[in-house]
């Protein structure tokens, strides 16, 4: 499985192969801040040690756990520096607590401070040298940094201390796989599976290993077992597609790659693979659609690089949000607009952009909130126009017309607003007002068709998201 740091959306990179690694104490736990580490005092009751602890020891333990709790909350809130400070204070109280050192190492890794992370992993091992899981965790960290020889030594040591540590067996297998030593890799993956039949990573990795070794049927069997254990296993779906391609079963390959796309729609690799399968099937229109999406994703990658280089500038987040919206990725666009607003609260362009994205997701009240805030900051025709559309969705035609008039907008949507308000007024017995609305609707219709006195006037609709560049 790929390990995701909680609430940060950052995944660990595992070599340059399609297997997956494991760096946790438990096959199903996240290799990050080990929130799953059990605290006896916070589960079913106090441990025997806690029950017999001296008063001073109890006070120290409580202080450490309070700092750990603060660190966890800080990580969830994206305040990694605060987490480091809290963990450092805890380590000052309990310098030989390997758990604390490992947690701080994980936070340093998230922050990209790899030298500090490595130092803490090593100090954790020094504090608890018989802990096989700590060697595995450090090995996984080293493996993700490309230091495979050093990582291999850690995995070897972990297995020496605990021959049934399936995560270490799996990770050692990944290193063998990266070196194309398929026999050694398959042996380690098989041992991991024997140790835990529900270990989806090992099934996937052995399947990929067998695929690379030309054992297509057994590879597919392993990959299907991985998917039976985890139907949302992205890498396993991709690997299934690769096996089907090798078998020339292109229809099944399309199905597998489509599932990968469904699970991860912003990864260009799946589209590349599916396009090839479509081409083999001579389904050229669908291949062309994938090619279009590949170009869009390539553009997204370029914008993302700019964001990474200048993340403190709200303009780059807005640019990526606008681009995401052209691909109908409105949820992701909303996140980027929100990042821009976190950097510069009240930014009108970010507020109107996010409002349009909220509209696309059906969140009308949130769209209204953003537009109202935008209009407080700066009056704009676009903002009035967007709010008019929101009022239309809410069937408040009077407010819609007022906002369209403020926007100086003239198009078929405005015609519909006048006619709908006219019908409401007619039903309420307001005959003259209704006739005025119907007349205005006819006037705009004539203008749009080139028959009215202002037929040269350009219809003004709300600005769309930027077009997808060719």
């Amino acid at each position: 499985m790929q390990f995701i740091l909680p609430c940060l959306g950052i995944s660990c990179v595992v070599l340059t192969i399609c297997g997956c690694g494991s760096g946790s104490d438990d096959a199903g736990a996240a290799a990050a801040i080990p929130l799953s580490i059990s605290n006896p005092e916070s589960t079913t009751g106090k441990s025997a040690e806690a029950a017999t602890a001296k008063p001073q020891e109890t006070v120290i333990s409580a202080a450490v756990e309070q700092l750990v709790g603060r660190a966890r909350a800080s990580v969830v809130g994206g305040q990694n520096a605060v987490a480091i400070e809290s963990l450092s204070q805890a380590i000052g109280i309990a310098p030989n607590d390997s758990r604390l050192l490992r947690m701080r190492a994980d936070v340093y890794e998230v922050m990209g401070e790899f030298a500090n992370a490595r130092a803490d992993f090593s100090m954790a091992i020094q504090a608890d040298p018989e802990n096989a899981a700590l060697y595995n965790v450090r090995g996984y960290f080293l493996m993700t940094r490309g230091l495979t020889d050093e990582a291999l030594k850690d995995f070897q040591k972990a297995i020496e201390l605990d021959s049934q540590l399936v995560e270490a067996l799996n990770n050692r297998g990944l290193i063998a796989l990266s070196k194309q030593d398929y026999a050694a890799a398959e042996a380690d993956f098989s041992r991991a599976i024997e140790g835990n039949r529900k270990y989806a990573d090992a099934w996937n990795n052995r399947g990929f290993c067998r695929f690379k070794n030309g054992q297509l049927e057994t590879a597919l069997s392993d990959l299907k077992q991985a998917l039976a254990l985890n139907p949302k296993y992205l890498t396993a779906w991709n690997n299934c597609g690769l096996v089907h391609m090798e078998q020339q079963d292109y229809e099944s390959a399309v199905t597998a790659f489509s599932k990968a796309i469904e699970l991860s729609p912003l990864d260009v690799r799946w589209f590349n693979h599916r396009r090839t399968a479509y081409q083999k099937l001579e389904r050229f229109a669908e291949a062309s659609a994938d090619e279009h999406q590949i170009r869009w994703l390539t553009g997204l990658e370029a914008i993302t690089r700019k964001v990474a280089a200048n993340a403190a500038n709200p303009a780059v987040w807005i640019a990526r949000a606008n681009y995401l919206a052209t691909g109908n990725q409105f949820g992701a666009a909303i996140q980027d607009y929100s990042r821009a607003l976190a950097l510069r609260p009240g930014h009108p362009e970010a507020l109107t952009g996010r409002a349009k994205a909220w509209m696309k997701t059906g969140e009308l009240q949130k769209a209204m909130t953003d537009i109202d805030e935008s209009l407080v900051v700066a009056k704009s025709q676009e903002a009035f126009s967007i709010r008019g559309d929101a009022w239309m969705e809410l069937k408040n035609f009077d407010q819609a017309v007022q906002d369209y008039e403020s926007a100086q907008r003239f198009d078929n949507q405005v015609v519909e607003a006048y006619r709908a308000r006219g019908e409401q007024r007619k039903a309420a017995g307001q005959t003259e007002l209704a006739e005025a609305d119907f007349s205005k609707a006819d006037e705009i219709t004539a203008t749009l068709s080139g028959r009215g006195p202002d037929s040269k006037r350009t219809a003004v609709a709300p600005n769309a998201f930027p077009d997808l560049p060719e």
Side-chain angles (χ1 to χ4, degrees):
M1 65 189 290
Q2 288 181 310
F3 291 107
I4 308 297
L5 294 163
C7 299
L8 297 179
I10 304 173
S11 61
C12 297
V13 179
V14 186
L15 301 178
T16 55
I17 54 180
C18 290
C20 280
S22 171
S24 70
D25 296 334
D26 181 271
I33 303 267
L35 302 180
S36 61
I37 288 181
S38 60
N39 170 16
E41 296 182 17
S42 65
T43 53
T44 58
K46 293 186 176 181
S47 66
E49 284 184 314
T52 59
K54 296 178 182 179
Q56 181 63 25
E57 292 173 344
T58 302
V59 171
I60 291 174
S61 177
V64 168
E65 294 309 320
Q66 183 178 14
L67 289 164
V68 168
R70 185 187 303 166
R72 288 171 173 160
S74 298
V75 169
V76 171
Q79 298 176 305
N80 296 322
V82 176
I84 290 292
E85 180 182 352
S86 298
L87 290 169
S88 297
Q89 292 177 25
I91 290 167
I93 297 171
N96 294 318
D97 189 332
S98 63
R99 174 189 62 148
L100 301 176
L101 290 161
R102 176 188 168 180
M103 291 177 73
R104 192 172 68 177
D106 286 325
V107 182
Y108 275 135
E109 185 177 3
V110 173
M111 297 172 70
E113 297 188 20
F114 301 127
N116 285 334
R118 183 173 183 177
D120 273 355
F121 282 129
S122 296
M123 285 192 292
I125 288 173
Q126 290 173 12
D128 191 2
E130 300 301 309
N131 189 327
L134 289 176
Y135 284 98
N136 178 59
V137 169
R138 187 177 67 177
Y140 185 76
F141 166 79
L142 293 169
M143 183 171 68
T144 62
R145 307 272 74 76
L147 302 171
T148 54
D149 290 339
E150 295 175 67
L152 182 58
K153 292 177 183 178
D154 273 351
F155 296 142
Q156 298 278 28
K157 182 63 176 179
I159 295 166
E160 176 186 322
L161 290 169
D162 182 356
S163 61
Q164 298 304 309
L165 186 58
V166 295
E167 293 81 15
L169 288 164
N170 177 71
N171 289 338
R172 188 174 69 176
L174 284 175
I175 290 179
L177 182 56
S178 71
K179 296 179 178 181
Q180 299 184 0
D181 186 350
Y182 300 126
E186 183 172 342
D188 274 344
F189 297 141
S190 295
R191 283 182 62 187
I193 290 169
E194 290 168 6
N196 181 0
R197 301 290 297 179
K198 294 183 178 181
Y199 192 5
D201 285 355
W203 286 104
N204 171 71
N205 294 340
R206 190 175 73 175
F208 183 77
C209 177
R210 287 175 166 175
F211 160 65
K212 296 296 289 183
N213 205 23
Q215 305 171 46
L216 301 184
E217 291 300 327
T218 54
L220 195 57
S221 177
D222 280 352
L223 295 169
K224 288 182 177 179
Q225 181 60 34
L227 289 168
L229 291 167
N230 180 6
K232 294 184 178 181
Y233 201 148
L234 173 62
T235 310
W237 281 113
N238 177 64
N239 289 342
C240 275
L242 294 176
V243 174
H244 287 310
M245 288 293 289
E246 194 69 19
Q247 294 175 323
Q248 299 185 13
D249 182 359
Y250 302 121
E251 289 286 359
S252 295
V254 165
T255 299
F257 294 137
S258 296
K259 186 63 178 181
I261 289 169
E262 178 186 326
L263 293 169
S264 181
L266 298 182
D267 195 316
V268 71
R269 291 173 296 176
W270 326 137
F271 286 96
N272 270 316
H273 294 162
R274 191 174 69 176
R275 176 190 58 180
T276 301
Y278 278 140
Q279 289 172 337
K280 293 290 186 179
L281 291 167
E282 298 185 355
R283 291 162 61 175
F284 299 119
E286 289 154 303
S288 178
D290 276 355
E291 175 63 33
H292 186 266
Q293 188 66 11
I294 290 165
R295 290 201 308 273
W296 184 86
L297 288 168
T298 302
L300 179 61
E301 289 175 358
I303 293 174
T304 299
R305 286 193 293 271
K306 293 179 181 178
V307 170
N310 196 13
N313 183 356
V316 297
W317 291 106
I318 293 170
R320 192 172 75 166
N322 290 340
Y323 192 84
L324 283 164
T326 68
N328 297 323
Q329 298 297 323
F330 299 113
I334 287 167
Q335 291 179 1
D336 277 1
Y337 287 127
S338 299
R339 292 184 179 107
L341 288 165
L343 291 168
R344 189 178 299 173
H347 194 299
E349 186 180 354
L351 286 167
T352 55
R354 190 169 70 174
K356 286 188 285 185
W358 285 130
M359 290 278 290
K360 293 292 187 178
T361 61
E363 296 281 1
L364 298 181
Q365 291 301 330
K366 291 180 179 179
M368 282 287 198
T369 299
D370 277 351
I371 285 300
D372 287 344
E373 184 179 348
S374 172
L375 287 169
V376 169
V377 176
K379 299 289 190 293
S380 74
Q381 291 183 341
E382 182 178 25
F384 281 118
S385 185
I386 295 167
R387 193 170 69 176
D389 288 342
W391 285 126
M392 281 292 286
E393 291 289 334
L394 294 169
K395 308 299 183 184
N396 189 330
F397 304 118
D398 187 51
Q399 290 291 340
V401 167
Q402 290 182 45
D403 276 344
Y404 288 148
E405 289 176 346
S406 296
Q408 298 182 30
R409 174 176 166 182
F410 302 94
D411 61 10
N412 290 327
Q413 175 85 341
V414 180
V415 171
E416 183 180 342
Y418 275 109
R419 291 196 187 284
R421 190 175 70 170
E423 292 294 344
Q424 285 185 338
R425 287 175 165 179
K426 181 178 179 181
Q430 300 173 325
T431 306
E432 291 185 8
L433 291 175
E435 287 300 323
D437 277 345
F438 294 141
S439 177
K440 186 66 175 180
D442 291 341
E443 177 185 333
I444 296 171
T445 299
T447 298
L448 292 174
S449 64
R451 294 181 286 104
D454 297 324
S455 59
K456 294 183 180 180
R457 187 169 185 173
T458 303
V460 179
N463 293 332
F465 289 112
D467 291 331
L468 174 62
E470 292 296 330

